[in-house]
Amino acid sequence: MQKLIAYPLTVLYFFFFGLTLLIFHPIQWICFNVFGYNAHRISVALLNLSLMRCTHVLGTTYSFNNPHDIPTDRPTIIVPNHQSMHDIPPIIWHLRKQHPKFVSKKELGTGIPSVSYNLRHGGSVLIDRKDSKQALVEISKLGKYIEKHHRGAVIFPEGTRSRTGHPKPFKATGLKLLMKNAPSALIIPISINNSWRMLKYGKFPNGIGNHLTFDVHEPIPISGDLDQLIAKTEAAVTAGITSFK
């Protein structure tokens, strides 16, 4: 019965989702080209708040638990697990003071209103997962960028999303590159739960009535052995993942 109800609700969600992307695309363009970086950053934050609101049609609710006072005068490397595209808007909105930029696959850089524009112009990097050299160069650039401008980089070290919520092992290379190129950064581990349930039926229909949780763990300064630091970060993230159980 729940899946049957999900069909019309998903159609309605897709309508509002697509409409939001179309409305914010020219808003982003105007903000970026007329008013500059800060106006564009605000428009992107509001876009992602609106995308979260669209999911309320599906009965989706959110809890973003961040008891930490994350400084804005130094770079941050935001390290969440990855369960679905619904991981992204809450991070952009709730951590907007960190100016989050993403390590994203190049395919998302074209063809998607609002999303592709932000990835191309907002400071994120687009990597070719079939070209490791290009990917490493772009990730290094992002590390240097956040170090210089005291902004945030978001990387999903699992590489691809977990379709069951069960955490995948971290791939350390990209995260280590960010750390090397942004040595003054704080690592911000985040555990995401229940996002995978939004796609438990596949791309259509979406899951309904889900409560997505985001738990921000204690920030970790970069010091000492990087492999040990990555292991500590992975342990913090995976310890907070329970939705697959």
Side-chain angles (χ1 to χ4, degrees):
M1 178 61 71
Q2 188 181 70
K3 186 176 181 180
L4 187 63
I5 296 171
Y7 280 101
L9 292 180
T10 300
V11 171
L12 189 60
Y13 161 68
F14 282 159
F15 172 78
F16 286 118
F17 177 81
L19 183 63
T20 299
L21 295 184
L22 291 173
I23 289 172
F24 271 91
H25 191 88
I27 291 174
Q28 276 195 75
W29 189 94
I30 293 169
C31 288
F32 182 79
N33 289 283
V34 178
F35 299 106
Y37 172 83
N38 279 320
H40 179 244
R41 176 180 64 85
I42 293 170
S43 73
V44 170
L46 292 173
L47 161 66
N48 283 275
L49 174 62
S50 299
L51 293 176
M52 290 171 61
R53 295 291 178 260
C54 289
T55 64
H56 292 338
V57 171
L58 299 167
T60 307
T61 56
Y62 298 86
S63 293
F64 198 97
N65 307 307
N66 178 21
H68 309 287
D69 185 15
I70 302 174
T72 57
D73 60 351
R74 64 188 294 183
T76 53
I77 301 175
I78 300 162
V79 186
N81 59 304
H82 194 21
Q83 296 187 348
S84 79
M85 67 177 184
H86 300 285
D87 301 337
I88 295 171
I91 291 173
I92 294 177
W93 172 248
H94 288 283
L95 295 179
R96 58 193 180 276
K97 291 182 179 179
Q98 271 61 53
H99 302 215
K101 317 300 178 187
F102 285 78
V103 177
S104 182
K105 58 184 180 181
K106 69 173 186 177
E107 291 82 0
L108 297 178
T110 56
I112 308 173
S114 287
V115 174
S116 297
Y117 189 88
N118 178 46
L119 289 174
R120 293 197 311 272
H121 299 283
S124 297
V125 294
L126 297 167
I127 63 171
D128 184 347
R129 292 190 291 186
K130 297 179 181 179
D131 185 345
S132 59
K133 183 177 180 180
Q134 182 269 352
L136 296 178
V137 168
E138 292 301 313
I139 293 172
S140 296
K141 287 180 182 178
L142 180 59
K144 293 173 183 175
Y145 172 84
I146 66 169
E147 178 73 15
K148 179 179 179 180
H149 297 286
H150 295 171
R151 291 171 184 165
V154 183
I155 185 169
F156 296 106
E158 292 169 299
T160 56
R161 65 183 178 88
S162 170
R163 298 178 185 275
T164 63
H166 197 286
K168 295 182 177 182
F170 276 19
K171 298 176 182 178
T173 304
L175 179 53
K176 188 179 290 187
L177 263 181
L178 284 177
M179 293 160 64
K180 286 181 177 179
N181 286 280
S184 69
L186 281 176
I187 309 296
I188 313 296
I190 301 179
S191 298
I192 301 173
N193 281 292
N194 294 320
S195 175
W196 69 274
R197 297 183 190 276
M198 299 288 286
L199 299 176
K200 65 181 179 180
Y201 303 127
K203 293 183 179 180
F204 187 84
N206 279 188
I208 61 174
N210 294 297
H211 180 212
L212 278 57
T213 65
F214 296 72
D215 294 298
V216 180
H217 303 290
E218 184 176 357
I220 305 170
I222 296 175
S223 63
D225 183 83
L226 295 186
D227 289 318
Q228 292 182 5
L229 186 58
I230 291 171
K232 181 179 179 180
T233 303
E234 182 174 9
V237 172
T238 56
I241 303 171
T242 60
S243 63
F244 64 93
K245 297 179 180 178

